[in-house]
């Protein structure tokens, strides 16, 4: 075997190279985290600025006036009671609406009251609307404020309950259709205004719902008692996530992790572990005092080479000839050879990863 052949040797990176590689990987990793975090758009500070705020309080009160009768001594019944249809003369309703702004601002408002009959018929176990009729009780009323911050509306209504109940009764008789019907009396108000480039446009409704063509019933109310809203600067809507930035940060993060995994052993100078390295470390640990690790291969020119089957025979030769055993790694982490030279004879044992 020629001694002029070159073999790969175990490479150990210099300390400054290892630190530089680690620094680059850490820089990539930190940069990727920053890019990913900044890809999520944060809330704009201007969104917390309140240009104008307003609060709305609404209320509904009513009493049911009765015909003279020998059953109920009082002339009327108050809220949240049960009412007998045949005894009802009329219903007095008071709609209350109070708007309060944070500062003086020109505002326009308009409101109306509409009574709506809704008739439903049970079709295939589902109630379907078959009839609707509207009655305007208060036609569109308008108002404006310039020198104050509040709007106050108190709208009384006298509702002729008997009239609407009779309308439904006639409908049922003429069409012979057993419908379920309700009367919804709705107070609706709309407030508009302008603040810089911001528009104020608020609509509220107060509803009173009464069943019709029933001997006795309860009245339902539907409205929001308290409502408030804040007007903030009109900011351009931004995407919550910058996907291009997020993609770039993710790629950089994966690249840094891949580099760290790939160069982990080189950076921290950790030798690989396999059958060859385990056997080699065991031999060097037990017989390190008689083994010399050499940087260059032994010159085999003009030598009679004898290959030895196992390492124990090399130990026997060392004890007999009193010549140190030399070790040279021919293939990094995979193959190395132990040699012993006596006179013109070279004894060799090759350790492989098998």
């Amino acid at each position: 075997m020629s001694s002029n052949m070159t073999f790969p040797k175990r490479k150990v990176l210099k300390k400054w190279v290892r630190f530089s590689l680690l620094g680059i990987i850490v820089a990539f990793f930190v940069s990727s985290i920053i890019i990913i975090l900044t890809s999520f758009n944060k809330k704009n500070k201007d969104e917390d600025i309140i240009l104008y705020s307003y609060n709305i309080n609404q209320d509904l009160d009513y009493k049911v006036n009765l015909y003279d009768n020998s059953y109920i001594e009082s002339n009327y019944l108050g809220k949240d009671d049960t009412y007998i249809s045949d005894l009802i003369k009329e219903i007095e309703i008071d709609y209350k609406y109070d708007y309060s702004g944070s500062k003086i601002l020109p505002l326009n408002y308009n409101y109306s009251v509409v009574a709506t009959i809704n008739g439903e018929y049970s079709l295939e176990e589902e109630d379907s609307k078959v009839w609707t009729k509207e009655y305007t009780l208060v036609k569109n009323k308008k108002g404006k404020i310039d020198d104050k911050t509040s709007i106050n509306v108190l709208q009384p209504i006298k509702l002729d309950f008997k009239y609407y109940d009779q309308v439904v009764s006639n409908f049922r008789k003429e069409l012979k259709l057993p419908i379920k019907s309700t009367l919804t009396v709705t107070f609706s108000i709309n407030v508009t205004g302008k603040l810089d480039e911001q528009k104020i446009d608020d609509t509220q409704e107060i509803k009173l719902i009464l069943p019709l063509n029933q001997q006795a019933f309860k009245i339902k109310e539907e409205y929001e008692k308290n409502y408030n809203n804040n007007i903030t600067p009109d900011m351009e809507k931004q995407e919550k996530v910058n996907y291009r930035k997020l993609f770039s940060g993710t790629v950089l993060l994966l690249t840094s992790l891949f580099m760290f995994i790939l160069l982990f052993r080189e950076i921290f100078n950790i030798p690989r572990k396999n059958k060859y390295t385990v056997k080699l470390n065991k031999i060097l640990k037990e017989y390190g005092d008689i083994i010399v690790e050499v940087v260059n291969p032994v010159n085999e020119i003009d030598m009679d080479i004898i290959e030895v089957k196992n390492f124990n025979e090399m130990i026997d030769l060392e004890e007999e000839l009193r010549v140190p055993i030399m070790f040279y790694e021919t293939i990094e982490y995979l193959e190395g050879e132990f040699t012993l030279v006596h006179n013109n004879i070279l004894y060799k044992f090759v350790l492989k990863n098998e």
Side-chain angles (χ1 to χ4, degrees), residues 1-52:
M1 186 182 291
S2 173
S3 63
N4 294 325
M5 294 178 66
T6 58
F7 301 93
K9 289 299 297 172
R10 182 176 297 175
K11 298 175 183 178
V12 178
L13 297 177
K14 292 182 179 180
K15 188 177 287 187
W16 71 269
V17 176
R18 290 189 281 124
F19 285 165
S20 298
L21 287 173
L22 183 60
I24 292 171
I25 293 172
V26 170
F28 279 7
F29 180 80
V30 172
S31 299
S32 68
I33 295 298
I34 294 173
I35 292 172
I36 290 173
L37 291 177
T38 55
S39 68
F40 297 94
N41 291 323
K42 295 181 179 179
K43 184 179 178 182
N44 196 311
K45 290 182 179 179
D46 289 342
E47 292 180 11
D48 294 327
I49 298 174
I50 298 175
L51 299 176
Y52 179 77

Side-chain angles (χ1 to χ4, degrees), residues 280-302:
L280 176 61
N281 290 335
K282 186 178 180 181
I283 292 172
L284 294 177
K285 186 177 180 180
E286 292 183 9
Y287 305 104
D289 54 341
I290 60 171
I291 296 174
V292 178
E293 294 184 63
V294 294
V295 177
N296 299 312
V298 177
N299 190 346
E300 298 178 354
I301 297 174
D302 298 328

